[in-house]
Amino acid sequence: MIDTLPPLLGLLLAGAFGAIVGSFLNVCIHRLPLGASIVWPSSACPHCKRELSWYENIPVASYLVLRARCRTCKAPISVRYPFVEALTCAMFVGAWWYYGPGPLLASRLVLGCALIVLFAIDLEHHLLPNAITLPGIVVGFAFSLMTEPGWMASLIGLLAGGGVLYLVAVAYYRIRHEEGLGMGDPKMLAMIGAFLGWKLMLLTLLAASLVGSVIGLALVVAGRGSMKYALPFGCFLAVGALLSAAGGQPILDWYMGFF
Ligand SMILES: [Zn+2]
């Protein structure tokens, strides 16, 4: 039945569903670092703790209508809320259009949601919660039994992805005697490998390192910070994985064409 939806209606429904999911991702981003439950209690203003009514919970629209302030205490609402909602909405529309309904669509959307949450939490708290990465590894592998990249590529991807960054983290610590890479990063790359397989995992690592180096250098040149603290690596892994999932296969095909 879902295959016979008129194309435009399908995209509209995907977008609406995406915006609602984005609203839930905001709850995860706010509560996971605090160790709070993501299902209870219902949403409240973080400043005055007043519970939000339904019309203050509408993705993007509420933010605009409330003009970025709490209705009672006037505390500013972070632009992260409408941004995450709009981004998730766009991701659902794009993925629906690109993959069409099926297990691959579900797999890529679950990964995308995990990446958005990890990006936002790593950016603000320099933290990649196990509550996302560890179940993510299991779910990614489970999806691989039904769809791309297949269970073998997924298994190699999760072992190699976790292993390579684990070794980098240990080596950095041995040499510099300080933590350069947190233990969350190996688990995050293992999750990405489980969902995308080892080839796109390697492409993710390459893209993340490239984007990270460019932004790190730009910040150093602009005198805005040292190389080391530029930005947490999990953010670059998230961007690298989104790029690889969306456009990595043609790059791999082109590259393999040389052999
Ligand atoms: Zn308030």
Side-chain angles (χ1 to χ4, degrees):
M1 173 276 212
I2 208 163
D3 297 289
T4 58
L5 281 178
L8 189 63
L9 184 62
L11 288 175
L12 280 173
L13 285 176
F17 187 57
I20 294 167
V21 171
S23 174
F24 173 68
L25 298 186
N26 272 319
V27 175
C28 298
I29 291 165
H30 178 63
R31 294 187 187 176
L32 277 179
L34 304 173
S37 161
I38 53 171
V39 287
W40 184 92
S42 56
S43 297
C45 165
H47 190 72
C48 68
K49 314 288 180 216
R50 180 182 56 83
E51 232 177 77
L52 302 185
S53 32
W54 65 269
Y55 61 87
E56 291 168 289
N57 256 327
I58 302 167
V60 185
S62 293
Y63 179 84
L64 297 175
V65 170
L66 295 169
R67 295 202 189 131
R69 295 194 173 275
C70 168
R71 196 163 51 87
T72 35
C73 75
K74 305 291 174 204
I77 306 169
S78 166
V79 71
R80 189 190 72 218
Y81 287 89
F83 185 77
V84 165
E85 285 154 2
L87 180 69
T88 313
C89 169
M91 181 176 78
F92 271 63
V93 171
W96 176 273
W97 172 77
Y98 190 72
Y99 299 109
L104 186 59
L105 174 75
S107 165
R108 291 294 157 89
L109 284 178
V110 170
L111 172 66
C113 289
L115 293 174
I116 289 174
V117 172
L118 289 172
F119 179 97
I121 295 180
D122 204 24
L123 185 67
E124 198 173 340
H125 303 276
H126 291 211
L127 199 77
L128 295 166
N130 286 339
I132 301 279
T133 52
L134 296 183
I137 294 171
V138 177
V139 172
F141 182 71
F143 268 121
S144 80
L145 300 171
M146 294 176 274
T147 182
E148 286 177 36
W151 72 269
M152 182 73 108
S154 169
L155 187 65
I156 298 172
L158 81 89
L159 292 175
V164 71
L165 279 193
Y166 177 76
L167 289 178
V168 169
V170 170
Y172 190 95
Y173 187 76
R174 287 270 171 82
I175 295 164
R176 301 282 295 267
H177 298 288
E178 58 187 1
E179 209 171 87
L181 198 64
M183 277 305 153
D185 298 279
K187 292 174 215 156
M188 181 172 175
L189 193 59
M191 179 191 89
I192 293 167
F195 273 98
L196 297 183
W198 64 272
K199 288 180 192 161
L200 288 175
M201 180 279 291
L202 285 178
L203 198 65
T204 297
L205 189 58
L206 186 71
S209 309
L210 273 175
V211 175
S213 311
V214 169
I215 292 187
L217 272 175
L219 286 175
V220 171
V221 169
R224 295 285 296 277
S226 74
M227 198 70 190
K228 213 179 93 195
Y229 295 112
L231 271 178
F233 193 57
C235 292
F236 296 118
L237 284 178
V239 173
L242 281 175
L243 291 176
S244 300
Q249 202 54 48
I251 295 175
L252 285 181
D253 294 342
W254 169 78
Y255 181 75
M256 297 310 271
F258 287 106
F259 296 96

